Amino acid sequence: MQIQHKDHFHGSDLEQIEAIYGIKKEEITSFSANVNPLGISPLLKKTLSEHLDSISTYPDREYRSLRKSIAEYAGTDMENVIVGNGTSELISLLIQIRHPGKAMIIGPTYSEYERSVEIEGGSSYYYPLKEEEDFVLDVTDLIKSLNESIDLLIICNPNNPTSTVIPAGDMRKILDACKRYNIFVMVDETYMEFEKDVKHLSSVSLTRYYNNIIILRGTSKFFAAPGLRLGYAITGNKDMIKYINTHKNPWMINSLAAIAGEIIFKDTEYINETKELIAKERTRMCETLKKSGKYKVYPASANFILVRILSDEITSGEVFDLAIRQKMMIRDCSTFPFLDEKYLRFCVMTPEMNTKLLNCLTSI
């Protein structure tokens, strides 16, 4: 059965794929979910069972041990860390608090930002990344687009689906400009940890000097634990921290998730192995696809790659169909703003599975 252009599948929609294609979901390799191919942290898998008794008691309402572990891992102060039930909840919570009348979103990007703004009664418009610039942000041009009517600037960094990144130096220029117009900046760093040079690319250090920024991260992608529902935010805005802590629901994170967080951020062997694998395989995949002459490959900093099909005779929906019939699920990006039926996104998996996907993509 040929899937039509209007059909869209998220990385977690394996049941829907199973129903349409008759392929058991357990047999499908999802190159669409952008989750660490190494799976759960071995240290977490080994030790979490030793803490099962924790579910018989309430967690610490302040989550002191968890916040301390996050702070040490991210390079910030414990007082600047807010924890939540996944990054999605923190996005919604932040937008509820800021209640922006008008938000600017750098796109194409994750659709949840726009949806959350609309739920709160605000309006959103996009600052478009340009294909002719390989979707790399023109910081000077962005700054020219800022004005007093904007309440909130939303940036995914590295961006999904383009995989492009804004270094901390450029982010500082953006924050300076936003200060002039009283614009608050939300930076979603869900995919930042897949980069080796996190220290110079992440905006965490800027929270020491700027109170108009909050950074969001989670454990779903890098730590392959979407079911854990553990996210965190980092900000130097003391008034915002105080407001959130006095208005949020108590016990936002269950006892096991809180303990799991304390464990995984200390698994340095797993963290380093992940970064090495992603960097090596991402480079190999990009080079192979470039050499094929069938795709334009955009610069990638996350654990996924965006490409554009060069042939006029095939669409992203058709390539998706070809891959899924070989039990590999990639992302047809035609539903993203500013992208059309020529764009595909897929994440980095194990070397064996990456080779299988490359063979599929270069066979068109």
Side-chain angles (χ1 to χ4, degrees):
M1 176 181 179
Q2 180 69 44
I3 299 302
Q4 300 302 312
H5 173 76
K6 61 181 173 58
D7 290 308
H8 159 65
F9 299 103
H10 182 267
S12 61
D13 292 339
L14 296 181
E15 288 82 2
Q16 192 177 356
I17 292 286
E18 184 178 52
I20 293 173
Y21 284 93
I23 302 171
K24 292 181 180 179
K25 62 182 181 180
E26 294 81 11
E27 298 176 0
I28 299 171
T29 299
S30 179
F31 284 85
S32 179
N34 301 337
V35 173
N36 188 335
L38 295 182
I40 301 169
S41 151
L43 182 62
L44 176 63
K45 192 178 290 188
K46 178 182 176 182
T47 60
L48 187 58
S49 61
E50 300 170 4
H51 299 276
L52 289 178
D53 287 345
S54 67
I55 63 174
S56 64
T57 59
Y58 284 100
D60 170 21
R61 288 178 64 146
E62 302 298 323
Y63 296 100
R64 293 176 184 87
S65 295
L66 174 60
R67 287 165 52 231
K68 182 183 178 190
S69 180
I70 291 171
E72 291 173 352
Y73 169 74
T76 188
D77 298 325
M78 185 178 81
E79 292 74 19
N80 295 342
V81 176
I82 304 162
V83 293
N85 187 33
T87 307
S88 295
E89 181 185 61
L90 289 170
I91 291 170
S92 299
L93 180 61
L94 173 66
I95 291 174
Q96 286 172 21
I97 291 169
R98 300 303 304 185
H99 200 71
K102 187 175 184 180
M104 175 187 279
I105 304 172
I106 296 179
T109 196
Y110 183 42
S111 61
E112 186 65 22
Y113 309 135
E114 181 179 5
R115 190 183 79 88
S116 295
V117 170
E118 289 178 352
I119 287 174
E120 290 304 309
S123 61
S124 303
Y125 75 100
Y126 285 87
Y127 174 86
L129 298 170
K130 301 175 179 64
E131 192 280 335
E132 58 269 26
E133 296 173 357
D134 289 344
F135 298 110
V136 174
L137 177 66
D138 183 335
V139 175
T140 302
D141 188 64
L142 169 69
I143 290 172
K144 291 177 182 177
S145 303
L146 301 174
N147 58 67
E148 294 88 348
S149 71
I150 302 167
D151 303 303
L152 179 67
L153 175 63
I154 301 175
I155 304 172
C156 185
N157 192 39
N159 185 43
N160 176 19
T162 62
S163 202
T164 47
V165 69
I166 304 169
D170 284 339
M171 193 69 76
R172 187 162 194 162
K173 297 175 185 176
I174 294 170
L175 290 172
D176 284 334
C178 287
K179 273 282 190 182
R180 295 200 296 270
Y181 299 114
N182 196 30
I183 299 170
F184 195 81
V185 183
M186 183 180 84
V187 182
D188 184 348
E189 287 195 353
T190 293
Y191 300 102
M192 182 60 74
E193 294 144 288
F194 287 105
E195 261 291 351
K196 278 188 169 184
D197 192 17
V198 172
K199 183 177 180 181
H200 294 100
L201 292 174
S202 171
S203 299
V204 168
S205 63
L206 300 178
T207 60
R208 300 178 188 275
Y209 317 107
Y210 293 88
N211 65 355
N212 62 331
I213 180 174
I214 190 167
I215 296 165
L216 307 178
R217 288 186 185 176
T219 56
S220 295
K221 304 301 185 180
F222 186 83
F223 290 99
L228 200 60
R229 306 314 308 144
L230 174 59
Y232 60 96
I234 300 171
T235 183
N237 189 315
K238 303 304 180 186
D239 291 337
M240 173 175 283
I241 293 171
K242 182 178 179 180
Y243 185 91
I244 291 175
N245 287 335
T246 54
H247 287 76
K248 70 179 182 180
N249 295 325
W251 304 300
M252 295 174 73
I253 299 169
N254 68 67
S255 300
L256 277 180
I259 291 171
E262 296 176 34
I263 296 169
I264 57 177
F265 295 117
K266 293 180 173 66
D267 195 346
T268 54
E269 184 177 344
Y270 167 85
I271 291 167
N272 293 333
E273 185 180 353
T274 297
K275 292 177 184 290
E276 291 291 338
L277 171 66
I278 299 301
K280 183 178 180 180
E281 284 297 297
R282 183 175 59 206
T283 298
R284 179 173 78 94
M285 294 177 80
C286 287
E287 290 178 350
T288 300
L289 291 169
K290 286 176 184 176
K291 289 178 182 177
S292 75
K294 299 179 180 181
Y295 301 91
K296 178 173 181 179
V297 183
Y298 299 96
S301 292
N303 64 324
F304 50 84
I305 301 164
L306 179 73
V307 302
R308 179 165 58 86
I309 303 165
L310 296 178
S311 172
D312 293 331
E313 299 176 0
I314 191 166
T315 67
S316 53
E318 291 169 330
V319 179
F320 173 93
D321 185 76
L322 177 65
I324 199 64
R325 292 183 187 281
Q326 297 181 40
K327 301 179 180 180
M328 294 177 290
M329 182 177 177
I330 59 177
R331 177 65 192 270
D332 171 0
C333 290
S334 58
T335 56
F336 280 97
F338 315 116
L339 301 183
D340 58 26
E341 57 182 17
K342 292 297 179 182
Y343 290 90
L344 299 165
R345 187 203 69 198
F346 40 86
C347 65
V348 178
M349 299 295 286
T350 63
E352 180 183 6
M353 288 311 304
N354 294 337
T355 296
K356 183 179 177 182
L357 179 63
L358 288 172
N359 289 338
C360 172
L361 293 177
T362 56
S363 70
I364 64 168

